[in-house]
Amino acid sequence: MALAARARRFDLGAWGFVAPALLWTAAFFVAPFVVMAVVSLWERIGTDLVASWSFANYLKFFERGHFLEAMLNSLEVTVIVTVTSILLAYPFAWIIAEKVPPRLQRLALVLAILPFWTSYVVRSYSWLLVLANNGIINETLLGIGLIGEPLDLANSRTATVIGFVHFFVMLLTLTIYANLVQLSPNYRKAAADLGAGPLSTFWFVVLPLTLPGIMVGAFLTFVLCIGDYITPQVLGGNNELLMPQVIMLQIGRRADFPTASALAILLMIVVTIAYLGFARWIRLERA
Amino acid sequence: MNTAIKRLKLTGAAALGALLAGVAAMPVANATEELNALVWCDHTDPALIEPFEKKFDVKVNLKEYEGTGSALAIVEQSQPGDWDVFVIDGVDVPRAIDADLLAPLPADEMPLDDIFPELRLDEAQMRDGKLYAVSEKFGYNTVSFNKTKVDAADMKDMTVLWSDAYKGKIAVYDYYLPVIGMVAVGLGKKTSELTADDLPAIKETLFKIKDNAKLVGEVVSSQTAIATGEVDILVGGGEWVTAGLSADKPELDWILPEQGGVRWSQSIGVFKDSTRKELATEFVKYIVSPEGQARLATSSCYWAMPANAKAGAELTDQQKAALRWDDQPTYLKNAQMYPAPDAELDAAMQDLWTEFLQH
């Protein structure tokens, strides 16, 4: 009896600790999600939201080619951005972790995250000016005679990818760096003792052990990239639509929240599938 | 007008405007009353708001929105009485009346006789003999261009936009109603008579324009593109793009092609649930007065024609030249109203626009 009473008290205490987080999650995630799911089954007729309780808004996604195309565009851009960011961030993180003296590593990290301190919108517009026909890149290439006509860099998928990569390289650098500095030097010594060269050591020892860091960063990049509206809107020139833009189009003038909600939930399903894919490595990190 | 003009919420210009509005409001921070207005960015100019604040010892709180849908959502999520003044696309006034958002205005206190006759939108602004909104600013969605790069004579014919003559040199303003309206006018259709049957031909032409376009941008992107030379032509442009830049960029110009253009307008009204209707009405009266109209017409966010013809007396010759004040009779005659589709056609037009963007 006494043990059971103590267990109950313990449970109450545990719930007390967890309750704020649960309430927060319920209020700011579960409740809005439920509202969104319910509204996605409604319909906007004129100025009224009508509870029609149908899957018509979801069917629109499959019936209208441009919605599906937007989802495919989003996935393509997100995968390109994630892979490019990993390829750029890994060497960057490795240089900070291995080549920069420990006393300067903190400074290097601060420099790495400096772009986060700039307004996201301003940064996107800045990239637009940099990539423009008369921007610094085209002016330089024209000036040194490498090209005869300005390259069409701005208002394109390339511009969107550049804008995204600029942002996410820093995020991935931090997660990969965090893994690299935790890696015991003994692994490399053991690999060397067994006759492995630097490349083999990296490929068979260092890379697999830092995979969780890569995947955590990649997942964050995936989630933030696929849901971002600003960068493709400013840098993409509306030459192709991504899902957040399509969702915003539903709201902008007609306030068609039911269709926007259905599209948002479909986007969440894609993110959930991505999470399940990344979860293997995330679990590995926890282990 | 252009709902997308309100998209400047995303822009540095609008942010700066809001910041300046905030700073400008500081001297009256202890004002005895406050007024909450849901507006577009041109109303956030301190030069417009300050005189009213001082005269009535009131602090005007301004919130910008980026589309009628967004505005309606803000209102739906607010408490009754939170908002006092509503600036809205002229074409969307009936939506606001249908949603029972607006209070009747004292028609005898409004300078209706001074409003340009074409801007007296009685059908949209009146219901059962009561006036619910007043036109306050207008302009044209037409063709803006860089006259040093483009033959101005070419711009007189709208069909050049869907020929190959300026392929890769064109930007399109990202708002479906005026651009669809423009294309309809270019195809010889009347904006007031558009039906779903007209959409296939409009779609075909729109897709040709997209093939020639370098970008489709909201206000800042499209204005930046033509100002920096990224493109030479802006489809859907007009005085709202070039007038404010006339001092720094005299090479930018705009024209109403021989086929005509689309006229946009914005209206102002008072919320039905406002608890400060008297003060809100005074604000409306100030905005449509010659002084308020002149300030609104040359607002730092964007310039456009004042709806009150008497505002001309308050504008300088240079300002009137930039606004083409003297050309208005001809322009008004050659411009058709914004399309005002019903909900079903509106949805079809928006789908068409989404396809156009994805093309």
Side-chain angles (χ1 to χ4, degrees):
Chain A
M1 284 296 288
L3 274 174
R6 277 169 62 186
R8 273 200 301 277
R9 277 202 301 276
F10 176 77
D11 285 344
L12 282 174
W15 278 108
F17 279 114
V18 175
L22 282 177
L23 284 173
W24 181 272
T25 307
F28 296 106
F29 177 72
V30 178
F33 177 78
V34 170
V35 170
M36 194 164 73
V38 167
V39 171
S40 74
L41 303 174
W42 291 7
E43 199 178 354
R44 166 70 82 181
I45 298 176
T47 55
D48 299 322
L49 282 179
V50 179
S52 53
W53 304 111
S54 77
F55 287 97
N57 295 319
Y58 291 92
L59 290 176
K60 274 186 208 170
F61 175 78
F62 297 101
E63 287 168 358
R64 298 182 188 180
H66 48 276
F67 284 175
L68 202 55
E69 204 175 328
M71 182 67 90
L72 292 175
N73 286 341
S74 283
L75 284 169
E76 280 176 18
V77 167
T78 303
V79 169
I80 292 170
V81 167
T82 306
V83 171
T84 310
S85 300
I86 290 170
L87 292 176
L88 291 173
Y90 203 102
F92 194 22
W94 183 80
I95 289 168
I96 295 175
E98 300 290 330
K99 297 298 176 188
V100 175
R103 64 192 164 81
L104 293 177
Q105 282 187 8
R106 187 167 292 183
L107 176 65
L109 285 173
V110 170
L111 292 174
I113 61 170
L114 265 182
F116 283 107
W117 299 357
T118 314
S119 160
Y120 192 38
V121 177
V122 170
R123 193 144 31 88
S124 294
Y125 275 108
S126 303
W127 269 114
L128 191 61
L129 296 176
V130 169
L131 299 170
N133 276 4
N134 53 2
I136 190 168
I137 292 177
N138 270 317
E139 290 288 324
T140 305
L141 293 175
L142 285 167
I144 58 178
L146 269 180
I147 55 172
E149 288 288 320
L151 300 173
D152 278 336
L153 298 172
N155 302 300
S156 63
R157 177 182 281 195
T158 306
T160 302
V161 168
I162 288 172
F164 272 137
V165 167
H166 178 218
F167 188 77
F168 293 123
V169 158
M170 303 310 153
L171 186 70
L172 271 153
T173 300
L174 292 179
T175 59
I176 295 170
Y177 168 84
N179 256 220
L180 280 169
V181 292
Q182 286 173 16
L183 207 61
S184 169
N186 291 336
Y187 287 116
R188 290 193 191 86
K189 286 178 189 168
D193 284 348
L194 293 170
L199 274 178
S200 298
T201 303
F202 171 75
W203 188 253
F204 293 109
V205 179
V206 177
L207 184 62
L209 288 172
T210 51
L211 212 48
I214 296 172
M215 289 305 156
V216 168
F219 176 64
L220 290 173
T221 301
F222 188 95
V223 171
L224 294 173
C225 184
I226 205 165
D228 188 277
Y229 170 77
I230 300 291
T231 298
Q233 185 67 19
V234 174
L235 291 172
N238 272 334
N239 285 314
E240 63 176 3
L241 290 181
L242 307 188
M243 277 303 279
Q245 292 169 287
V246 172
I247 292 169
M248 277 299 290
L249 273 170
Q250 310 310 310
I251 298 170
R253 180 175 148 73
R254 290 195 298 129
D256 189 352
F257 286 99
T259 303
S261 298
L263 295 175
I265 283 182
L266 289 168
L267 195 58
M268 283 184 73
I269 289 170
V270 169
V271 171
T272 305
I273 292 169
Y275 170 76
L276 294 173
F278 284 107
R280 180 182 159 207
W281 286 281
I282 293 171
R283 275 202 303 273
L284 187 64
E285 184 184 47
R286 283 176 186 155
Chain B
M1 107 158 153
N2 315 274
T3 311
I5 271 189
K6 298 152 251 170
R7 291 183 189 157
L8 284 180
K9 190 174 181 183
L10 293 175
T11 73
L16 184 62
L19 180 65
L20 290 174
V23 172
M26 286 174 70
V28 289
N30 296 321
T32 51
E33 276 198 275
E34 294 192 10
L35 197 69
N36 299 324
L38 201 52
V39 299
W40 295 336
C41 64
D42 53 345
H43 292 68
T44 60
D45 192 333
L48 171 70
I49 299 303
E50 243 178 14
F52 178 81
E53 288 185 322
K54 282 183 179 162
K55 183 176 176 185
F56 288 92
D57 187 25
V58 61
K59 182 177 186 299
V60 181
N61 302 310
L62 302 156
K63 181 168 177 61
E64 291 173 52
Y65 64 88
E66 69 271 18
T68 301
S70 304
L72 295 177
I74 291 168
V75 175
E76 280 171 9
Q77 290 156 24
S78 304
Q79 292 294 321
D82 279 356
W83 299 103
D84 303 301
V85 174
F86 195 15
V87 171
I88 185 170
D89 204 325
V91 81
D92 287 326
V93 171
R95 284 174 77 184
I97 298 175
D98 288 342
D100 200 20
L101 292 179
L102 298 177
L105 291 169
D108 55 332
E109 293 178 32
M110 300 294 153
L112 298 181
D113 292 340
D114 299 334
I115 304 284
F116 284 101
E118 292 83 353
L119 272 294
R120 285 282 305 269
L121 309 175
D122 292 349
E123 200 173 317
Q125 294 168 344
M126 296 189 79
R127 188 70 58 87
D128 300 329
K130 291 177 184 167
L131 178 73
Y132 287 89
V134 187
S135 296
E136 51 152 39
K137 197 170 178 177
F138 74 100
Y140 307 92
N141 284 107
T142 177
V143 183
S144 289
F145 59 97
N146 184 326
K147 58 191 174 195
T148 62
K149 305 274 185 65
V150 169
D151 184 353
D154 284 355
M155 299 296 105
K156 288 180 182 169
D157 180 3
M158 207 193 291
T159 61
V160 76
L161 302 174
W162 47 90
S163 73
D164 289 341
Y166 292 100
K167 196 173 177 67
K169 297 292 180 187
I170 292 175
V172 181
Y173 173 45
D174 181 15
Y175 188 30
Y176 66 102
L177 278 180
V179 177
I180 286 176
M182 261 187 78
V183 169
V185 170
L187 294 174
K189 299 174 187 291
K190 286 193 172 175
T191 55
S192 57
E193 296 172 2
L194 288 180
T195 67
D197 294 338
D198 296 310
L199 296 187
I202 290 172
K203 176 180 173 175
E204 190 184 337
T205 309
L206 271 174
F207 280 19
K208 282 182 193 166
I209 293 176
K210 184 69 187 286
D211 292 337
N212 294 336
K214 188 159 192 187
L215 71 119
V216 184
E218 36 69 42
V219 120
V220 174
S221 298
S222 51
Q223 195 172 33
T224 301
I226 194 167
T228 59
E230 184 78 2
V231 296
D232 299 329
I233 299 169
L234 174 59
V235 179
E239 77 297 321
W240 57 271
V241 177
T242 62
L245 297 173
S246 57
D248 297 327
K249 294 273 177 190
E251 69 274 23
L252 298 185
D253 205 348
W254 64 283
I255 191 170
L256 223 62
E258 58 197 23
Q259 292 93 342
V262 174
R263 188 176 76 239
W264 59 263
S265 69
Q266 55 194 53
S267 297
I268 186 167
V270 171
F271 276 99
K272 187 195 74 173
D273 293 326
S274 166
T275 54
R276 295 167 283 246
K277 281 200 186 74
E278 209 170 298
L279 189 58
T281 304
E282 289 299 331
F283 185 76
V284 172
K285 283 161 67 178
Y286 163 69
I287 291 292
V288 296
S289 70
E291 182 205 357
Q293 286 280 279
R295 290 172 184 272
L296 181 64
T298 55
S299 163
S300 55
C301 186
Y302 60 92
W303 286 29
M305 274 291 292
N308 187 330
K310 285 190 175 168
E314 307 285 331
L315 292 166
T316 66
D317 288 344
Q318 192 185 4
Q319 289 170 333
K320 284 200 278 192
L323 291 170
R324 308 270 179 85
W325 184 271
D326 294 333
D327 295 328
Q328 292 308 311
T330 316
Y331 287 178
L332 282 166
K333 192 178 165 191
N334 289 343
Q336 297 187 34
M337 281 279 287
Y338 240 48
D342 59 26
E344 198 178 342
L345 182 58
D346 191 280
M349 284 182 172
Q350 191 164 329
D351 278 341
L352 169 58
W353 191 253
T354 310
E355 275 188 77
F356 162 76
L357 294 175
Q358 201 64 281
H359 175 66

